[in-house]
Amino acid sequence: MYKKVTTDMNFIDREKEVLEFWKANDIYKKSLRKEGDGTPTFTLYDGPPTANGKPHIGHIKTRVIKDLIPRFHSMKGEAVSFKAGWDTHGLPVELEVEKMLGINGKPQIEEYGVEPFIKKCKESVWTYKTQWEEMSDRVGFWADMEHPYVTYDNNYIESEWWALKTMWEKDLLYKGHKIVPYCPRCGTALSSHEVAQGYKTVKENSVYVRFRLAGKDDTYFAAWTTTPWTLPSNAALCVSPDADYAKIKVNKDLDGSEKTVYYYMALKLVPTLFEDYEVIEKMKGTDLTGIEYEPLFDYAKKMLEETSQKAYFVVADNYVTTEDGTGIVHIAPAFGEDDARVGRENKVPFIQFVDEQGHLPDECEEFAGMFVKDADPLIIKKLNMEGKLIRKMQFEHDYPFCWRCDTPLIYYARSTWFIAMSTKREELLKSNRMINWYPETIRDGRMGDFLENVIDWGISRERYWGTPLPVWECGCGHRHCIGSIAELKEMSDDCPDDIELHKPYVDNVHLKCPKCGGVMTRVPEVIDCWFDSGAMPFAQYHYPFENKEFFENHYPCQFISEALDQTRGWFYSLIAISTVLFGRAPFENVIVMGLVMDENGIKMSKHKGNVVDPWDILNNQGADAARWYFYNSCQPYLPNRFSHDAVREGQSKFISKLWNTYAFYVLYADIDNFDPTKASFDRNNLCVMDRWILSKLNTLIRTVDAKLTGYDVTGCTRTIQVFTEELSNWYVRRCRDRFWAGEMTKDKTDAFMTLYTVLETMTRLCAPFVPFVTESIYQNIVRSVDTSAPESVHLASFPVCDESMIDKELEEEMDLIQMIVELGRTAREAAKIKNRQPLSTIYVVSEKELADEYKPIVLEELNIRNIEQLKNADSLVSYSFKPQLRTCGRKFGSKLNAAKEVIAALPGKETKAALDEGPIRITVDGEEYEMTVDDFIIETAQPEGLSTQSDRGVIVSISTVLTDDLIEDGFVREMISKLQTQRKETGLEVVDRINVLYSGNEKLAEIIVKRKEFISSEVLAVTFEEGVGENSKEWDINGEKITFTVTKA
RNA sequence: UGGAACAUAGCUCAACCGGUGAGAGCAUCGGCCUUAUAAGCCGAAGGUUCAGGGUUCGAGUCCCUGUGUUCCAACCA
């Protein structure tokens, strides 16, 4: 029959057995349904993790959320396609290898050799692969990990080349300038991720300087900057178009001499810079545009003359604020993102008086060769000497430093390749609207806002380990974009057959220029690895070179999920690339996950020492516990405060409760040799408890199916948890004695069949959530008796709700029973009458009449002999009234408070009686109102002589009158309880027979004599006589003292 | 510095369109019950719903300001 089940908490070992079972029998592969013949497909795209970082606890969350959905859809009969992937390119990999080789920076990489370097990168990527696979395996992550896509794969890259070429042909790929954070010592631009690591708060000099208006003595623009070293590269000034500006008159010059001087600046900021002044003219920013001024330095004069460019005039742009500074911003298009844009839009010349090492060039005369930050004080000094410095002050702000060498970064224009995403804004927004975001707010919030302001995607990186940008250039200026290996071979003479699409190999391939016949060389850049991951919908299948049909049938996918930090990462790159290529979003539904924090809500990080090793939970609490925790603790999009206690709570509340219910079933099924395949029951002829739990079960199926279809994970688990609780603590507890019964009666078979049905259904219902424990249970209760059943619960189908089993009314009635029982217990507590003391009568007032079959449940639970239902509680209680605000708010408006008083003063019983007949009228502030029952909240007052409790219209009252008969019964039960306790304390086994001696109480002695046989049978006493022996103990039996001696017979 | 999300009992989370004294579970304490359970039941204590203002007859819920945490974006000139 069934395998014995222990009720210990050793879920880890059981999970390991399940893993072995899956492996030995290839269950994962068997779970994949074949496509075709009308089988619906369900496709997921995997956001690739990078295997050269260790998996951490957040990855468990990612993996288990991703895993739940395909398991569910697979059980629903769909053909699931879910290919795992690895993100393999990028700077983090290069940095890891640099560290390993003990080298530092691009020059040393070149020295080491690009080819050996990228070979190391390729190996390094797999450093933690095994750890990843073990972790994925252990949490039950079922994706195709045997044939993953790998972003460094030639096929993968070739698909990306196809994509880039397609964009090239649409004129979306262009070369421009980008202001990037740049380390002058390392000679490299830094990614935003690196920059973020190096912010420090520094004190620097900020300066107010004045620019003289061209041809006007003593009239200046006042401007402010925190980077004096950019002043030699100044090319324009910028004002805010709609802000108010002023021309002011000051009677003192900078050197303190008496002189009339005029300044232009933002009106509201004048007081921050000057004390004595007079506003002589007001204007808008736009009124200043076009005015020319004289440069602070004439370093650029020669260059501008030679190229005949016009500089040094005022422009306007909305990015300028009048919050601080002067409202007039100095523009150096080579050194700021906004400056560059404003410069471009207003045809301001590009002056870059800083070289790649961060030094000022020869043009800057006395500053030539100086590092920019060192030049700052000297530039300030010179400005001061020349009467151009209005004021210098200390300024504290966060400034980025190179995380590697601690050199201050400078923002520097570098040539960069872009995808013109800003021209696709409308299409992107349209794609975004196609997506079901969970939570919904991401769509219009975080993602929508980002897309509204989308800028061109700078995709080139001056690095080594990445997908090479497939653009070749010729000396004649012609450029060509390659879209496939075949095209590359066709256009070149030196391409090896087995060309690997990486640096340095592709750099050695030269094209023949179709324009001039010259030699074309590839541009040096590789591309942003976000492009790699965003290209995965098609690149994972080597589309369009292979699997064309397969791709088309699996695009877009139904579901993806990643953490919140991917909004501008993977989520964006997916939408961006797919929108450009296919005009739509590549996924239909997405769960955006919150991050996993430590138990104090603080981000986990190595140096804080609060990082939780994922194996900590997997080895101690198990995969199911971890899964349940992440599904159930809070909505997936909220941050988790991770703690072992929280994981344990879910385990004891759900997993072990389910397990113990199952263990209970097996224990008694084994005793009775019960085989569900040989028994049967008539679902239309069951007792109330069975009908109830089966109704609840089918309601549960319906709810979970609907919620999971709508990606409401937490909604599912919370419903399941409540059901499990009711199954264990109401159904099983109330039905225990049915399973002990001696004969295999219909009632006993019904009980077994019902519990079996519930457990069997639960294994399938919960299988996607907790795949291990459900498999253990399924193997034992289903497979061991039914060899024709599917080999694994994961090959079975998801339960289907049988609407005919749902009886809403019954469920509501059981709610009422539970409420009556609860109120009864509270009433006992209030009267200080313990449960062991039998009582005569319970009175129940409720809208619904209790059917007879429910009554024993109430009586047994409460140890009461009779139940009486009353039409109303007139004999039990009196009433008081409160306004039902939902209706009265509208009825009374501002007179509500007056109405409250009138209503509170209504006489109890009379009003209640009148209301039972129909509406009544009350007067508030001299005005009459008609009131119906619905306008009131009717409350009951405490009764007398009875112990009464009420809640939501149900009133329960227990008679507290104790007759001699009841008291005697109470004594008997109390003595039995104490004797049982004494047995236990004496260390006896439950089956041991005992001899009992009693002494010291006449009243109890009388009762003992009278009820000797009953008591003896309950406590397994052979003899029960008056007397005292060793190890005696005195007890308080409802106020009567008696001494018992218990010895083993 | 800006944008977004979140903030409810010691902890983890609920609370529908704004509607009556803000509810569960865990933990604590007291009591009860127990031939499946690390279980269950009853009760006590625990709250200025982060702070301040506004709208409303009525705000945990809507609006504004501030604080804190997190994520994202950042040369704020």
Side-chain angles (χ1 to χ4, degrees):
Chain A
M1 264 314 285
Y2 291 135
K3 235 180 1 188
K4 287 262 174 285
V5 179
T6 58
T7 53
D8 61 48
M9 297 286 280
N10 201 353
F11 288 106
I12 306 288
D13 289 344
R14 291 193 283 262
E15 288 183 359
K16 286 184 178 159
E17 281 169 27
V18 169
L19 280 173
E20 273 165 35
F21 167 76
W22 287 345
K23 230 163 270 170
N25 297 284
D26 240 349
I27 301 298
Y28 164 62
K29 279 193 189 145
K30 289 177 188 165
S31 80
L32 299 172
R33 282 164 211 275
K34 286 221 174 63
E35 296 190 12
D37 297 339
T39 306
T41 60
F42 189 90
T43 307
L44 293 91
Y45 293 158
D46 188 22
T50 161
N52 92 322
K54 274 191 199 174
H56 64 76
I57 189 117
H59 293 118
I60 295 190
K61 179 172 178 178
T62 321
R63 302 236 130 176
V64 303
I65 298 251
K66 279 189 203 173
D67 180 66
L68 169 65
I69 305 298
R71 281 180 185 274
F72 169 63
H73 283 274
S74 194
M75 288 181 78
K76 295 272 285 180
E78 292 159 40
V80 167
S81 155
F82 187 18
K83 199 178 174 67
W86 299 107
D87 185 19
T88 54
H89 281 148
L91 192 65
V93 181
E94 293 192 31
L95 295 178
E96 192 73 21
V97 170
E98 281 187 52
K99 216 193 288 168
M100 183 191 85
L101 294 173
I103 61 175
N104 192 349
K106 284 170 74 177
Q108 290 187 24
I109 293 172
E110 303 271 352
E111 202 180 306
Y112 177 80
V114 175
E115 184 175 0
F117 182 76
I118 70 126
K119 281 188 171 161
K120 290 278 185 224
C121 287
K122 201 187 268 186
E123 286 167 24
S124 160
V125 162
W126 303 115
T127 310
Y128 300 107
K129 179 171 183 262
T130 316
Q131 284 198 31
W132 272 95
E133 285 170 344
E134 281 172 359
M135 196 272 273
S136 303
D137 185 56
R138 185 64 188 82
V139 296
F141 179 67
W142 276 8
D144 185 356
M145 306 267 302
E146 271 179 48
H147 313 94
Y149 67 90
V150 177
T151 58
Y152 74 50
D153 197 78
N154 246 27
N155 284 347
Y156 195 96
I157 294 173
E158 191 179 23
S159 288
E160 290 187 71
W161 278 19
W162 164 79
L164 288 164
K165 169 119 185 177
T166 307
M167 293 177 183
W168 175 267
E169 283 168 350
K170 292 181 178 181
D171 269 338
L172 292 168
L173 191 58
Y174 71 92
K175 188 177 180 176
H177 281 283
K178 193 183 182 188
I179 308 296
V180 290
Y182 179 84
C183 174
R185 196 209 66 92
C186 303
T188 181
L190 276 73
S191 72
S192 60
H193 177 73
E194 292 173 288
V195 175
Q197 292 181 358
Y199 274 94
K200 284 189 208 173
T201 303
V202 290
K203 275 201 180 118
E204 285 188 290
N205 285 319
S206 68
V207 292
Y208 289 88
V209 292
R210 62 185 192 183
F211 293 84
R212 190 158 61 124
L213 271 71
K216 286 200 180 167
D217 286 341
D218 305 324
T219 307
Y220 303 93
F221 291 116
W224 182 62
T225 181
T226 56
T227 50
W229 56 267
T230 60
L231 288 171
S233 304
N234 170 269
L237 294 174
C238 190
V239 294
S240 170
D242 302 323
D244 293 313
Y245 285 82
K247 182 180 184 181
I248 60 161
K249 190 171 109 180
V250 177
N251 290 322
K252 216 184 253 176
D253 203 359
L254 295 178
D255 56 11
S257 60
E258 294 284 326
K259 191 175 180 187
T260 305
V261 183
Y262 302 93
Y263 289 100
Y264 285 94
M265 66 184 293
L267 179 63
K268 66 179 266 204
L269 290 165
V270 176
T272 64
L273 196 54
F274 296 103
E275 280 166 13
D276 290 326
Y277 62 89
E278 188 186 332
V279 175
I280 57 169
E281 204 184 329
K282 289 185 189 175
M283 69 283 299
K284 289 285 174 192
T286 43
D287 297 330
L288 300 172
T289 54
I291 299 177
E292 293 180 25
Y293 63 90
E294 289 176 2
L296 297 177
F297 306 99
D298 53 10
Y299 305 146
K301 198 173 164 194
K302 197 168 148 222
M303 188 270 275
L304 292 172
E305 274 168 7
E306 280 170 2
T307 55
S308 57
Q309 291 185 90
K310 183 167 165 275
Y312 313 125
F313 52 90
V314 177
V315 298
D317 192 276
N318 282 319
Y319 95 93
V320 175
T321 68
T322 52
E323 292 307 306
D324 46 24
T326 64
I328 299 178
V329 175
H330 126 73
I331 297 284
F335 303 108
E337 192 62 50
D338 287 314
D339 299 44
R341 180 180 53 79
V342 170
R344 245 190 337 266
E345 287 168 3
N346 293 285
K347 296 199 169 58
V348 175
F350 187 84
I351 304 171
Q352 188 167 34
F353 282 153
V354 174
D355 66 18
E356 295 201 349
Q357 279 77 50
H359 297 149
L360 295 166
D362 292 344
E363 286 94 331
C364 296
E365 295 167 8
E366 67 259 55
F367 306 121
M370 296 181 72
F371 183 63
V372 290
K373 292 281 173 187
D374 300 330
D376 267 355
L378 301 175
I379 291 172
I380 293 169
K381 198 170 167 195
K382 180 174 161 96
L383 290 169
N384 194 23
M385 305 253 297
E386 294 177 358
K388 293 166 182 166
L389 181 73
I390 305 173
R391 193 195 289 173
K392 173 182 94 169
M393 54 196 289
Q394 288 269 302
F395 177 83
E396 204 178 74
H397 67 152
D398 287 334
Y399 195 85
F401 287 74
C402 178
W403 61 272
R404 195 167 9 207
C405 66
D406 215 30
T407 306
L409 302 179
I410 59 176
Y411 286 81
Y412 196 77
R414 303 285 287 174
S415 76
T416 301
W417 290 83
F418 290 91
I419 300 173
M421 293 313 300
S422 57
T423 64
K424 293 281 172 186
R425 182 172 300 133
E426 287 312 312
E427 287 96 320
L428 287 169
L429 288 166
K430 203 178 116 209
S431 294
N432 185 36
R433 282 194 294 270
M434 296 174 180
I435 299 165
N436 296 315
W437 289 92
Y438 302 95
E440 223 180 321
T441 50
I442 302 276
R443 188 190 64 200
D444 296 326
R446 201 179 261 252
M447 182 53 86
D449 290 347
F450 178 58
L451 294 180
E452 292 281 357
N453 301 303
V454 72
I455 53 168
D456 289 352
W457 183 359
I459 59 152
S460 59
R461 297 287 181 269
E462 295 173 86
R463 299 296 310 188
Y464 305 95
W465 178 236
T467 298
L469 187 67
V471 175
W472 269 257
E473 279 180 319
C474 178
C476 76
H478 181 65
R479 287 179 183 145
H480 185 87
C481 182
I482 292 287
S484 68
I485 294 176
E487 187 187 356
L488 181 67
K489 287 181 176 164
E490 196 182 301
M491 290 189 66
S492 66
D493 297 325
D494 56 359
C495 179
D497 259 0
D498 58 346
I499 177 74
E500 177 177 339
L501 301 182
H502 274 125
K503 277 169 97 65
Y505 315 109
V506 282
D507 294 339
N508 298 332
V509 178
H510 299 88
L511 307 189
K512 194 170 162 194
C513 179
K515 284 271 147 64
C516 71
V519 175
M520 301 184 85
T521 312
R522 197 187 73 85
V523 298
E525 289 94 345
V526 297
I527 63 168
D528 185 358
C529 56
W530 284 116
F531 192 94
D532 289 353
S533 52
M536 63 72 67
F538 53 91
Q540 65 176 332
Y541 302 124
H542 196 208
Y543 175 87
F545 306 99
E546 286 180 79
N547 303 314
K548 201 158 186 271
E549 203 183 327
F550 187 88
F551 167 72
E552 279 156 10
N553 290 336
H554 295 81
Y555 181 93
C557 79
Q558 277 65 56
F559 177 68
I560 65 169
S561 179
E562 286 296 328
L564 189 65
D565 55 4
Q566 295 297 326
T567 313
R568 286 158 200 208
W570 194 50
F571 296 147
Y572 172 67
S573 68
L574 277 178
I575 296 172
I577 294 172
S578 268
T579 300
V580 170
L581 296 177
F582 307 109
R584 62 155 304 139
F587 53 93
E588 292 170 353
N589 301 283
V590 53
I591 294 181
V592 181
M593 286 178 288
L595 285 100
V596 182
M597 305 287 152
D598 78 359
E599 56 189 316
N600 301 312
I602 307 298
K603 189 182 174 168
M604 292 186 190
S605 63
K606 271 183 203 156
H607 75 271
K608 288 195 193 104
N610 59 349
V611 177
V612 177
D613 183 345
W615 290 100
D616 266 9
I617 351 172
L618 297 179
N619 289 334
N620 291 315
Q621 284 139 323
D624 282 335
R627 292 174 71 109
W628 195 256
Y629 167 76
F630 283 119
Y631 300 148
N632 191 54
S633 72
C634 62
Q635 295 290 342
Y637 58 86
L638 293 171
N640 290 83
R641 288 186 167 201
F642 183 85
S643 73
H644 290 285
D645 281 345
V647 177
R648 208 166 294 130
E649 192 177 320
Q651 189 172 35
S652 74
K653 247 153 94 175
F654 169 62
I655 301 176
S656 69
K657 219 166 252 180
L658 180 65
W659 184 261
N660 282 317
T661 309
Y662 150 70
F664 174 88
Y665 166 78
V666 169
L667 180 67
Y668 288 98
D670 267 349
I671 290 171
D672 281 301
N673 265 315
F674 175 76
D675 182 344
T677 60
K678 299 197 175 75
S680 65
F681 67 148
D682 177 4
R683 286 168 189 251
N684 300 314
N685 181 18
L686 293 171
C687 76
V688 61
M689 286 302 286
D690 295 343
R691 292 200 321 272
W692 172 73
I693 196 69
L694 291 173
S695 173
K696 283 287 220 187
L697 177 70
N698 282 284
T699 304
L700 176 73
I701 295 168
R702 187 169 63 189
T703 308
V704 171
D705 196 332
K707 281 183 191 283
L708 205 45
T709 302
Y711 298 94
D712 177 5
V713 176
T714 309
C716 290
T717 56
R718 293 196 175 163
T719 317
I720 291 172
Q721 199 158 289
V722 169
F723 175 84
T724 310
E725 157 75 23
E726 289 193 292
L727 171 67
S728 169
N729 289 325
W730 189 250
Y731 179 78
V732 173
R733 192 163 62 82
R734 286 293 342 134
C735 292
R736 260 182 311 197
D737 51 3
R738 300 170 66 196
F739 294 91
W740 308 330
E743 308 265 304
M744 202 37 126
T745 56
K746 170 186 176 295
D747 182 64
K748 191 169 175 180
T749 314
D750 286 351
F752 269 122
M753 281 307 288
T754 303
L755 186 53
Y756 171 78
T757 304
V758 173
L759 284 169
E760 188 276 332
T761 308
M762 280 290 279
T763 61
R764 288 183 288 129
L765 183 81
C766 300
F769 299 90
V770 281
F772 296 90
V773 68
T774 49
E775 184 76 289
S776 298
I777 298 175
Y778 177 87
Q779 289 302 327
N780 199 17
I781 65 168
V782 179
R783 283 279 293 170
S784 61
V785 294
D786 180 5
T787 44
S788 68
E791 190 181 0
S792 156
V793 70
H794 303 290
L795 308 180
S797 57
F798 198 78
V800 178
C801 167
D802 179 353
E803 297 280 347
S804 74
M805 294 302 292
I806 295 181
D807 183 344
K808 264 281 123 71
E809 208 177 319
L810 170 62
E811 291 187 21
E812 280 166 22
E813 279 168 352
M814 194 61 83
D815 285 344
L816 178 61
I817 300 287
Q818 289 177 318
M819 196 157 132
I820 291 169
V821 168
E822 197 170 307
L823 289 170
R825 278 197 270 251
T826 309
R828 268 186 175 277
E829 175 73 20
K832 296 262 179 272
I833 300 174
K834 61 176 79 173
N835 211 36
R836 263 198 303 272
Q837 175 61 58
L839 292 174
S840 61
T841 312
I842 177 170
Y843 304 94
V844 176
V845 184
S846 62
E847 211 170 295
K848 265 198 179 66
E849 183 124 347
L850 277 185
D852 282 346
E853 56 184 344
Y854 299 114
K855 289 176 181 168
I857 303 174
V858 176
L859 295 178
E860 271 178 44
E861 276 293 313
L862 291 172
N863 192 19
I864 294 177
R865 291 180 179 174
N866 304 298
I867 181 165
E868 268 186 47
Q869 297 199 74
L870 303 174
K871 288 267 175 293
N872 60 57
D874 286 1
S875 56
L876 305 175
V877 292
S878 75
Y879 301 95
S880 63
F881 300 89
K882 280 183 176 180
Q884 176 72 42
L885 293 182
R886 200 169 294 135
T887 62
C888 290
R890 235 164 284 134
K891 197 171 268 185
F892 294 104
S894 58
K895 287 185 183 168
L896 189 62
N897 281 324
K900 266 184 191 163
E901 286 178 29
V902 175
I903 290 166
L906 292 169
K909 287 194 180 175
E910 292 89 327
T911 311
K912 176 70 167 59
L915 272 173
D916 287 343
E917 299 303 310
I920 60 163
R921 306 185 77 80
I922 63 166
T923 309
V924 177
D925 267 8
E927 218 174 307
E928 240 189 37
Y929 293 89
E930 191 178 86
M931 306 287 285
T932 68
V933 178
D934 297 333
D935 293 321
F936 295 106
I937 293 163
I938 304 173
E939 288 182 343
T940 54
Q942 279 298 317
E944 286 162 35
L946 296 159
S947 181
T948 304
Q949 296 288 326
S950 69
D951 185 21
R952 281 168 287 171
V954 177
I955 302 162
V956 168
S957 194
I958 54 171
S959 162
T960 53
V961 180
L962 295 177
T963 60
D964 289 347
D965 183 34
L966 290 169
I967 292 169
E968 186 184 304
D969 236 18
F971 280 130
V972 170
R973 295 188 63 138
E974 189 67 24
M975 284 191 283
I976 292 169
S977 167
K978 296 305 184 226
L979 282 167
Q980 297 283 28
T981 307
Q982 201 167 340
R983 276 181 62 112
K984 222 179 264 176
E985 284 174 2
T986 317
L988 297 171
E989 298 292 323
V990 275
V991 291
D992 289 338
R993 304 275 148 170
I994 54 172
N995 294 315
V996 184
L997 298 173
Y998 63 91
S999 74
N1001 193 300
E1002 298 252 324
K1003 192 173 166 189
L1004 292 178
E1006 232 172 84
I1007 297 172
I1008 289 170
V1009 171
K1010 211 163 121 196
R1011 307 285 292 270
K1012 201 175 190 171
E1013 273 182 37
F1014 175 66
I1015 300 173
S1016 298
S1017 70
E1018 288 291 307
V1019 302
L1020 302 181
V1022 183
T1023 61
F1024 200 169
E1025 306 297 338
E1026 189 142 22
V1028 197
E1030 272 181 38
N1031 297 323
S1032 65
K1033 186 167 179 181
E1034 191 187 60
W1035 295 97
D1036 181 337
I1037 307 294
N1038 296 345
E1040 298 290 328
K1041 299 261 192 295
I1042 191 168
T1043 302
F1044 288 133
T1045 309
V1046 171
T1047 49
K1048 195 174 164 181

